[in-house]
Every structure is written in C-alpha cells, then in structure tokens.
Amino acid sequence: MKINVGISIFMGVVIGIIVCYLFGKKTILKKYIQLLKIANLQAKKIVKNAEKIGEVIKRKKMIQAKKKYICIKLKHEKFIRIKEKKIISIEKKIKEKENFLSKKVETFFKKNHFLELKINDYENQYKILKRKRSELRNIYIKKINNLENLSHFSSEKAKKELVNIFKDKVKNQAQSYINDIINESQLTAKKKAKKILIQAIQKIGIEQVIENSVSIFNIDSEEVKGRIIGKEGRNIKALEKATGVEIIVDDTPESILLSCFNPIRREIARLSLHRLVIDGRIHPAKIEEIVEKTEKKIEKEILEIGKKNIVDLGIRNIHPELIKLIGKMKYRSSYGQNLLQHSREVARLSSILAAELGLNVKFAKRAGLLHDIGKIPEEISDIPHAILGMQWAKKYGEDIEVCNAIGSHHDEIEMSVLISPIVQISDSISGARPGIRKNSFESYSKRLKNLEDIAFSFYGVNKAFAIQAGRELRVLVESNKIDDTRAFQLSCDITKKIKNEMTYPGQIKVTVIRETRAIQIAR
C-alpha cells in the first residue's frame, strides 16, 4: 500500500515537471520570436542610416576632389601663362639679336671693302720698297767690290784681322782684371777666415781638464786608514783584486792614492772606498758587494752624463747607444785631454763656424760632439778611430753629412760635405793649444792597455790588471779551467810574450791568482 502511494506521488511530480517545462518552452519561444522581429527592424533602420551617411560622405569627397582639381588646374594655367610670357620675351630678344647681327654684318662688309682697298695700297707700296732695297744692295755690293779692288784685300780677311786685333786686346784686359779680383778676394778671404776663427774661439770658454793616472782619496783619521788596510793588508788586496786599481798607502796624512790608467776603474775604486768608509763594515766579502753595486751605479751615471750633455748642447733624437758612448767620454782621455770636454768644445766651435758660414748648425754640432766616439772602446782595433766612429754613427742612424764629417776629420776618407772641414778645423783648434795635451800620458796608458791585452789573449783568464805604473801584471784565472800546474805555466807564457812583444823600462812582475770558493747558504 505504501509502495503504491509512493509511486503515485513520484508519477505526479514527474508529470508536473513535464507540464511546467512545456509551458515555459512555449513562453520562451514567443519571447524569442518577438526579439527577432525587433532585431530585424533595428537592422533595417541601421542599414538605412548607413546608406544615408555613405551618400553624404560620397558627396563630400566628390566636392573636395572637384575643389582640388580646380586648384591644380588654376596653378597649371598660371604656370603655362608664365612660361608663355618667358617664351615671348626670349623670342623678342632673339629677334633683336638677329637685327643687331644683320646690321653688324652689313657694317663688316662695308669695312671689308675699305680694308681691301687699303691692302691693295699697302701691297703696291711694299713692292716699291722691295725694288728700292734690291737697288741699294746692288749699290752696296758695287762699292765693296770697288774698295776690295782698290785695297787688294777681301772683306772676309779684313773682318778676321779686326776680330783678332780686338780679341787679343780684350783678352789681355780681361786677364789683368781677373788677376786683380783673385788677389783681392784672397786677401779679403784670409782676413774674413781669421776673423771668423778668432770670434769662434773667443766665444768658447771651456776649462780644459788634463787627465792623470792618480786620484787622491781623503780620509778623516789614521784609524780609518788602518781599517781600510785590514789585517795583514787583506782589505787592500781584496779591493785591488775587485777593481784592478793599485791602492797606495804611504806616510801622507789623511789620504790614500788610487793609481790606474783607466779612469772608470779609478772612479769605481774611489766611490767604493767612500761607501765602505760610510758603512763602516770593511771586509773582503763586503768589498766585493760594494764594488759590484758601484759598477752598476757607474753604468747608470754614464747614461745620465750622456743625456745631460746632449740636453746642454741642444741636440735631439740621438740613439741611446750613442748617448752611452758620450757618457763614457767623461772617463776617457786623448793625449791627457778629457775626451768629453774636448768633444763639447769641438761641437760648440763647429756650430759657431757653421753659423758664420750659413751652413747646417745642427749637423755641425752633432758631428763635433761625436767625432771622437771611436776612441771609446778599450780593446785595441786595427780600424782608425775616425772610421770606427763613422761606422757606429751609420749603425745608429746618423745623417750622411754627420757620418762623413766624423770619418774624414783626420783625412781617412774624402770630405764630401761642407761641415767636414769645419769639424776638422774645430778639432785642430781644440787640441792645438799650448799645454792642452800630454803625449806621455797617452803612450803610458797605451802601454798598460797592451799589457792587459797580452794577459787576456791566453785561455782561462778572467780578469787582468796592470798596476804599480805597469811594473806588475795581476792576472785572475778561472779555477775550473786552470789548475795549479797550469797557473804556473801561464805566468811563464805571459812573461815570455811580454818580453817578445813589448818594450818597457825596468822589469814587470806577473802574478797569476787562482782561487777556489765553496759557497753554501744555510736557510
């Protein structure tokens, strides 16, 4: 019973839902149809409005296009009118020119007719003149023939005789005139040359330094002298061995003599002694250290000296190797005359003479400063110092004129430029003054240098020093190449070669030193 009631209720609900759905569907369809009708009406209205708006726009565009066309047409018509006016004006000008030219042509033909008449007149006159000229020439020839018949002498011979007479006369006059000019020019040239040289010498005021082979090292007390000597003279020996300079300690108070023909070695020894005295620690190991540092310092000083001198002389763009050679001149001498001072003086004299003669002052100054760089090397060379200096100048990019002046200042090569004789004259002026040069020092230094070169010619020699004014040759050998037996034999060989190749007063002591060192460092 309960089940039947439930089924009936369920069926009633379903039927109600279906009825409601069908009713709602009909109402929705009605509303949808109404909406479609409204939409169609609105669409038709919109289309009509759009067509109206389109027609309005179309009319406006047509009106604008017509206006634009009218404007363009007006402009074009205006342009055509302007062009027509120009064409008309050009046509008028052409017509005027045609009229003008036609008038010109008419006048030209009229004038031409007149000119033709004048030309005919001139031609007639020219014919008359030509006829008269031929008549005069015939008369002249007849007179010449009459004169030749009377004098029995042809006109050609007479011309030659006259020419020879005047030629000899003029030649003698010209020769005497030339001789007078030459004599006068020679006198004035000599006076002028002497005047230029005197003025150049007067402008140079360099103090000449005469080199010697001894330097004096001043000390404060005898106590310092004792420390320099060291126990049994070991400090002195170490310093002599390291520098190659003979150190003379005598009774002269508060001074020590440093003797060596090589100024660079003397300067190294002097500076090393100065630094050792200031430091206070004077022993062989310290001496070797100080000497090594001093040698490096001297190399830097040489470069600075070279730079300073080229700046002082106003010389630019010079190779660094040539600057080093200029710096080394300070420690070289030529016949006792300091080489750097001599070269500076030659440079200044050359520049003054070149300026007086209107030549290249810069090239003259460079050549004067570099003319003796061939004297710098310590080793003996078969090439003359002028040629060697010229080769170095070429190698380091100096001008051809400068190279020729360096190479020809002692006439080893031919002078090809005007500054070459100027450098030669300046060198002679600088070296020829009384008391400037001492030949004895030059020969002395050469003898000591030859002595050292003999030692270096043997195998295994590390260093060689000529000391005690050439009375002793101290030779340091490499211990790994020369043993004790060979060291003795080496001293004999060197002594024998000195006897055969050199002339010397007294005797020369040859000392060969062989030293073995074993060095270890505890860390």
Side-chain angles (χ1 to χ4, degrees):
M1 190 72 184
K2 287 181 181 179
I3 293 166
N4 292 328
V5 172
I7 291 166
S8 60
I9 293 166
F10 175 73
M11 289 298 289
V13 170
V14 169
I15 291 164
I17 290 166
I18 291 167
V19 171
C20 290
Y21 171 73
L22 293 170
F23 180 77
K25 190 175 181 182
K26 286 181 179 180
T27 55
I28 289 165
L29 284 169
K30 286 179 181 179
K31 286 182 180 180
Y32 178 70
I33 289 164
Q34 288 175 357
L35 288 170
L36 280 172
K37 289 179 179 179
I38 294 164
N40 286 327
L41 292 171
Q42 286 179 353
K44 288 177 180 179
K45 287 179 180 179
I46 289 166
V47 170
K48 286 180 181 179
N49 290 331
E51 287 175 352
K52 289 178 181 179
I53 291 165
E55 287 179 0
V56 172
I57 291 168
K58 186 178 178 182
R59 286 174 185 171
K60 285 182 180 179
K61 290 290 181 183
M62 289 291 287
I63 291 164
Q64 288 176 358
K66 284 180 180 179
K67 285 181 179 179
K68 198 169 185 181
Y69 170 73
I70 291 164
C71 289
I72 292 167
K73 188 179 179 183
L74 290 171
K75 285 181 181 178
H76 185 66
E77 287 176 353
K78 189 178 179 180
F79 177 74
I80 289 168
R81 284 196 299 270
I82 292 166
K83 287 287 182 183
E84 285 176 350
K85 286 180 181 178
K86 285 184 178 178
I87 290 165
I88 291 164
S89 64
I90 290 166
E91 286 177 350
K92 284 181 180 179
K93 287 180 180 178
I94 290 167
K95 285 180 180 179
E96 288 175 357
K97 284 185 178 180
E98 285 177 352
N99 295 327
F100 178 74
L101 287 171
S102 61
K103 289 179 181 178
K104 281 269 186 183
V105 170
E106 288 175 2
T107 53
F108 174 75
F109 281 118
K110 288 178 182 178
K111 287 181 180 179
N112 195 20
H113 181 67
F114 178 72
L115 287 170
E116 284 178 357
L117 294 172
K118 277 195 171 183
I119 288 166
N120 292 327
D121 188 23
Y122 287 144
E123 283 178 353
N124 294 326
Q125 289 181 5
Y126 175 72
K127 287 176 181 178
I128 294 165
L129 288 171
K130 198 173 180 182
R131 190 174 63 254
K132 287 183 177 180
R133 184 180 176 186
S134 63
E135 290 174 358
L136 287 170
R137 183 161 183 81
N138 291 328
I139 293 166
Y140 172 76
I141 291 166
K142 285 179 182 179
K143 286 184 177 180
I144 294 293
N145 291 329
N146 291 329
L147 288 170
E148 286 179 353
N149 292 327
L150 290 170
S151 62
H152 303 288
F153 208 63
S154 68
S155 59
E156 292 296 326
K157 287 183 179 179
K159 283 179 184 177
K160 286 180 181 179
E161 287 293 326
L162 282 171
V163 167
N164 290 330
I165 291 165
F166 283 109
K167 190 176 179 181
D168 293 336
K169 189 175 180 181
V170 171
K171 191 175 181 180
N172 293 329
Q173 289 178 352
Q175 189 63 43
S176 62
Y177 181 68
I178 289 165
N179 290 332
D180 292 339
I181 290 171
I182 289 169
N183 293 329
E184 187 179 353
S185 62
Q186 285 177 348
L187 290 171
T188 55
K190 286 179 181 178
K191 289 179 182 178
K192 185 68 176 174
K194 287 177 182 178
K195 186 178 178 182
I196 290 170
L197 288 175
I198 290 165
Q199 287 176 349
I201 294 166
Q202 285 175 342
K203 289 178 182 179
I204 298 294
I206 298 175
E207 292 184 1
Q208 294 296 329
V209 179
I210 306 301
E211 293 291 332
N212 51 44
S213 61
V214 177
S215 297
I216 298 172
F217 180 74
N218 296 314
I219 53 178
D220 296 333
S221 63
E222 294 296 317
E223 182 186 352
V224 176
K225 186 186 286 188
R227 289 167 59 197
I228 291 170
I229 296 168
K231 187 178 180 182
E232 297 178 357
R234 65 175 186 173
N235 292 343
I236 290 286
K237 289 176 183 177
L239 194 59
E240 287 181 344
K241 179 183 172 183
T243 60
V245 175
E246 183 182 1
I247 299 171
I248 302 168
V249 182
D250 53 15
D251 296 333
T252 307
E254 299 181 354
S255 66
I256 293 173
L257 292 179
L258 308 175
S259 176
C260 181
F261 73 97
N262 190 319
I264 295 179
R265 288 191 207 161
R266 280 207 316 275
E267 185 65 12
I268 290 170
R270 189 186 68 79
L271 292 173
S272 300
L273 266 176
H274 181 69
R275 293 179 70 176
L276 285 165
V277 170
I278 291 172
D279 186 81
R281 295 173 293 172
I282 305 175
H283 52 83
K286 189 67 178 176
I287 287 168
E288 288 182 2
E289 180 188 344
I290 292 293
V291 168
E292 188 177 350
K293 288 181 179 178
T294 306
E295 286 174 351
K296 292 178 180 177
K297 183 182 177 183
I298 285 289
E299 287 179 5
K300 290 181 181 178
E301 283 184 1
I302 284 169
L303 188 61
E304 292 300 321
I305 290 165
K307 288 179 180 177
K308 182 178 180 297
N309 279 278
I310 64 172
V311 170
D312 289 345
L313 292 169
I315 297 172
R316 295 180 181 178
N317 301 325
I318 193 165
H319 196 278
E321 290 299 323
L322 291 178
I323 295 173
K324 284 182 185 178
L325 294 174
I326 293 165
K328 284 183 179 180
M329 285 183 185
K330 182 182 177 182
Y331 303 102
R332 292 286 183 272
S333 61
S334 176
Y335 299 101
Q337 184 181 13
N338 182 268
L339 195 59
L340 180 58
Q341 293 292 344
H342 166 64
S343 298
R344 282 173 62 96
E345 186 176 35
V346 172
R348 288 182 176 174
L349 278 167
S350 299
S351 66
I352 292 167
L353 291 172
E356 291 288 338
L357 298 171
L359 301 176
N360 193 317
V361 176
K362 291 181 180 179
F363 283 175
K365 192 181 288 185
R366 290 175 86 96
L369 182 63
L370 300 173
H371 79 285
D372 270 347
I373 55 172
K375 292 183 178 180
I376 300 301
E378 294 182 1
E379 62 273 6
I380 295 173
S381 175
D382 295 332
I383 304 171
H385 75 273
I387 303 297
L388 186 61
M390 181 184 69
Q391 291 174 355
W392 282 353
K394 282 182 181 177
K395 181 181 177 181
Y396 297 123
E398 287 297 318
D399 194 89
I400 296 170
E401 292 188 25
V402 176
C403 296
N404 182 261
I406 294 169
S408 62
H409 78 275
H410 285 312
D411 294 321
E412 277 86 1
I413 62 170
E414 185 180 353
M415 295 181 182
S416 61
V417 292
L418 290 173
I419 63 168
S420 298
I422 288 174
V423 173
Q424 188 182 53
I425 292 164
S426 301
D427 181 46
S428 300
I429 292 169
S430 177
R433 286 190 245 167
I436 290 298
R437 293 187 168 185
K438 291 185 177 179
N439 294 332
S440 58
F441 177 78
E442 190 73 14
S443 59
Y444 162 74
S445 63
K446 281 185 179 179
R447 183 168 65 84
L448 297 190
K449 188 71 186 66
N450 291 338
L451 200 59
E452 290 182 355
D453 289 337
I454 287 172
F456 278 117
S457 66
F458 288 91
Y459 173 77
V461 175
N462 187 22
K463 292 181 181 179
F465 303 122
I467 59 176
Q468 294 188 6
R471 291 190 296 274
E472 182 179 352
L473 178 63
R474 192 166 292 176
V475 182
L476 280 69
V477 298
E478 298 178 16
S479 58
N480 58 341
K481 294 180 180 178
I482 304 293
D483 57 15
D484 291 337
T485 306
R486 179 73 185 120
F488 176 77
Q489 184 62 39
L490 182 63
S491 65
C492 297
D493 293 342
I494 292 171
T495 305
K496 186 177 179 182
K497 193 169 183 179
I498 290 169
K499 287 179 181 178
N500 293 333
E501 295 185 5
M502 290 187 67
T503 55
Y504 52 90
Q507 62 184 15
I508 297 173
K509 178 183 176 184
V510 178
T511 305
V512 177
I513 301 170
R514 178 180 179 272
E515 184 181 44
T516 304
R517 294 188 184 186
I519 300 171
Q520 295 294 330
I521 299 170
R523 292 188 176 88

